[in-house]
Amino acid sequence: MKEFLRLLAPLRHKLMAERFLKWFIYGETAAGILCLAVVVLSKFWTEIPSLPLCGVFVLLGLLIALGAAFFLRKVTEK
């Protein structure tokens, strides 16, 4: 059984990478939509700092992707 689990380890790593990339795309798409909304709003209200807010949204999307991929549901032997 240990030999079988050892042989499945590369597949587990690939599945974790695939899950991370999927959540990364979702998170960064949401961050891009929020950045677009901030940039459009900053054209009407000049008090909104668009560049720092967009940077925060992109980093938040990355953190959501990391958290969802590695801590939400882990890839197990099943």
Side-chain angles (χ1 to χ4, degrees):
M1 186 68 175
K2 288 186 181 184
E3 180 69 23
F4 180 68
L5 291 177
R6 186 185 64 80
L7 291 174
L8 283 179
L11 179 62
R12 253 177 94 194
H13 296 300
K14 287 180 185 178
L15 287 173
M16 288 296 287
E18 185 267 335
R19 179 174 287 177
F20 169 72
L21 289 175
K22 180 181 81 169
W23 282 103
F24 180 75
I25 289 172
Y26 290 159
E28 292 304 315
T29 301
I33 291 169
L34 288 174
C35 285
L36 181 66
V38 166
V39 168
V40 168
L41 284 176
S42 72
K43 297 300 177 191
F44 298 111
W45 291 296
T46 58
E47 298 91 33
I48 297 175
S50 62
L51 189 62
L53 279 177
C54 287
V56 167
F57 288 146
V58 169
L59 288 177
L60 188 63
L62 179 65
L63 289 176
I64 288 172
L66 284 171
F70 294 116
F71 300 116
L72 191 60
R73 287 201 294 176
K74 289 189 157 201
V75 175
T76 62
E77 287 81 17
K78 286 185 179 182

